C-alpha cells in the first residue's frame, strides 16, 4: 500500500513539479482485477479503486492497519464510475450502476467486488476513514442523491453537485462523499475556491476524454500551484489548500472529505480576485 505523508504549507512553497506530484497525486489507480489502495496521513484516509473484470475481488487486510480485518475500525464509501457491478458485504449483494454509491459501516468483515459484464467492467472508487461508531450499509442510487445545480454558462462552470454521504444523507462517522458532473462545454469546478481548515479532501477525476487533461489548482490562496490530472487520477488536498480545477474539456469528479465535522458548508471562500 502506497503511503502519503502530511506536508507543511511553508515547505510546499519550495516544491517543484515532480515533488508536488509525488506528495499529492495518486495515479495509476485503475488496474484490471486489482484493488489498489493508498494510505494518507491526512485524517488517515485511504483512497482506492477496485477494478474487477473477469473475477471477484475481495478487500484484503493490510498489515500497516494493525487490525484483524480492513473495516474493524473503519468505514467506507464507494462510488461506481463505470460499468455495472456488484458489491457483496457479509453475504448481502448490492448492484451499483454508474454513479451509484454504497456506504459500508465499521465492523463489516467481508467486502467483495465483481462486474456484471467483463467487457464493460465496474470501476469502484473507494474512500475509507477511521470510525468510532457503526452505521448500517446503505445503497444510494444517483437518482436518489441530493442534487444542487450551480454555475453559469458565461463562467463555463454549469454543474450538478450530487451529495451522497453527508449530514442530511447517508449517515457516517466522519466521511463525507459525493460527485460533481459538468455540463458539456463547462470546464471549471469549485470556483470561487475555498479551504476548510477542519477537513481534508480528495478529488478523483473521471470521464476525462482521451487526450484531454484537468489542471487541478492547489496551495494556499496567495501561493497556488497546479497538477495536471489524467482520467482516473486522484489528488489529496490538505486542509490549508484550495482545491479547484479547469479542464481542456468537460469531465466529472468525485469529492470526499474527512475531519472534525460533517458540515458541507464549513468552508472559507476566497474571492477570485484575491487568488494568486
Amino acid at each position: 500500500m502506497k503511503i502519503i505523508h502530511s506536508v507543511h504549507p511553508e515547505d510546499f512553497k519550495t516544491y517543484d513539479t515532480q515533488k508536488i506530484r509525488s506528495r499529492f497525486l495518486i495515479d495509476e489507480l485503475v488496474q484490471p482485477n486489482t484493488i489498489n489502495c493508498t494510505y494518507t496521513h491526512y485524517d488517515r484516509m485511504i483512497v482506492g479503486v477496485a477494478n474487477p473484470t473477469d473475477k471477484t475481488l475481495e478487500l484484503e487486510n493490510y498489515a500497516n492497519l494493525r487490525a484483524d480485518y480492513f473495516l474493524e475500525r473503519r468505514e467506507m464509501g464507494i462510488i461506481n464510475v463505470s460499468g455495472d457491478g456488484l458489491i457483496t458485504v457479509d453475504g448481502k449483494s448490492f448492484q451499483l450502476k454508474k454513479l451509484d454509491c454504497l456506504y459500508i459501516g465499521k465492523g463489516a468483515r467481508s467486502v467483495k467486488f465483481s462486474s456484471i459484464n467483463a467487457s464493460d467492467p465496474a470501476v469502484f472508487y473507494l474512500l475509507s476513514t477511521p470510525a468510532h461508531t457503526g452505521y448500517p450499509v446503505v445503497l444510494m442510487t444517483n437518482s436518489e442523491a441530493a442534487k444542487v445545480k450551480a454555475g453559469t454558462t458565461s463562467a463555463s462552470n454549469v454543474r450538478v453537485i450530487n451529495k451522497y454521504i453527508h449530514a442530511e444523507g447517508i449517515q457516517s462517522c466522519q466521511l463525507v462523499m459525493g460527485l460533481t458532473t459538468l455540463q458539456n462545454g463547462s470546464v471549471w469546478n469549485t470556483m470561487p475556491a475555498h479551504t476548510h481548515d477542519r477537513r481534508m479532501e480528495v478529488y478523483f477525476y473521471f470521464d476525462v476524454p482521451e487526450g484531454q487533461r484537468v489542471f487541478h489548482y492547489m496551495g494556499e490562496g496567495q501561493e497556488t500551484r497546479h497538477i495536471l490530472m489524467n482520467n482516473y487520477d486522484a489528488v489529496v488536498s490538505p486542509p490549508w489548500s484550495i482545491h479547484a480545477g479547469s479542464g481542456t474539456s468537460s469531465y466529472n469528479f468525485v469529492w470526499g472529505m474527512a475531519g472534525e465535522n460533517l458540515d458541507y458548508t464549513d468552508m472559507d471562500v476566497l474571492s477570485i480576485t484575491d487568488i494568486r
Side-chain angles (χ1 to χ4, degrees), residues 44-247:
R44 306 287 174 173
M45 180 181 278
I46 292 176
V47 182
V49 164
N51 181 216
T53 53
D54 57 357
K55 67 179 184 180
T56 298
L57 305 177
E58 184 163 9
L59 184 65
E60 65 176 289
N61 191 21
Y62 291 88
N64 54 324
L65 295 182
R66 298 296 193 271
D68 290 335
Y69 53 97
F70 192 103
L71 293 174
E72 181 182 11
R73 300 186 299 269
R74 288 183 160 270
E75 60 187 352
M76 178 179 287
I78 304 163
I79 294 178
N80 185 13
V81 297
S82 193
D84 295 354
L86 288 175
I87 301 176
T88 303
V89 183
D90 289 339
K92 184 176 182 180
S93 294
F94 303 85
Q95 182 169 344
L96 278 74
K97 296 182 180 297
K98 185 175 182 179
L99 306 187
D100 291 348
C101 175
L102 185 72
Y103 171 81
I104 306 174
K106 166 182 169 295
R109 286 182 171 269
S110 174
V111 181
K112 298 179 181 179
F113 303 89
S114 59
S115 292
I116 302 297
N117 186 349
S119 63
D120 183 23
V123 174
F124 295 111
Y125 174 68
L126 61 92
L127 296 176
S128 175
T129 55
H132 306 290
T133 301
Y135 288 97
V137 179
V138 177
L139 171 67
M140 180 177 284
T141 66
N142 178 250
S143 62
E144 295 171 321
K147 299 181 186 297
V148 178
K149 295 181 179 179
T152 63
T153 301
S154 61
S156 302
N157 66 350
V158 179
R159 61 199 189 276
V160 177
I161 301 167
N162 300 264
K163 300 179 183 179
Y164 297 92
I165 305 171
H166 62 112
E168 289 79 42
I170 299 175
Q171 297 300 292
S172 69
C173 184
Q174 67 161 321
L175 181 63
V176 178
M177 193 174 183
L179 65 87
T180 298
T181 57
L182 277 71
Q183 186 180 87
N184 189 35
S186 288
V187 296
W188 277 99
N189 71 63
T190 322
M191 189 59 70
H194 62 265
T195 60
H196 25 75
D197 194 52
R198 286 148 297 282
R199 292 176 295 166
M200 58 81 70
E201 188 158 8
V202 176
Y203 275 13
F204 174 74
Y205 290 97
F206 68 100
D207 288 342
V208 180
E210 182 70 26
Q212 305 300 314
R213 297 291 184 269
V214 176
F215 287 75
H216 179 85
Y217 303 100
M218 62 179 301
E220 293 178 294
Q222 303 300 311
E223 193 77 32
T224 60
R225 304 288 189 271
H226 70 266
I227 298 180
L228 265 292
M229 308 288 295
N230 295 317
N231 191 41
Y232 293 152
D233 279 353
V235 59
V236 176
S237 180
W240 47 262
S241 175
I242 67 167
H243 33 282
S246 61

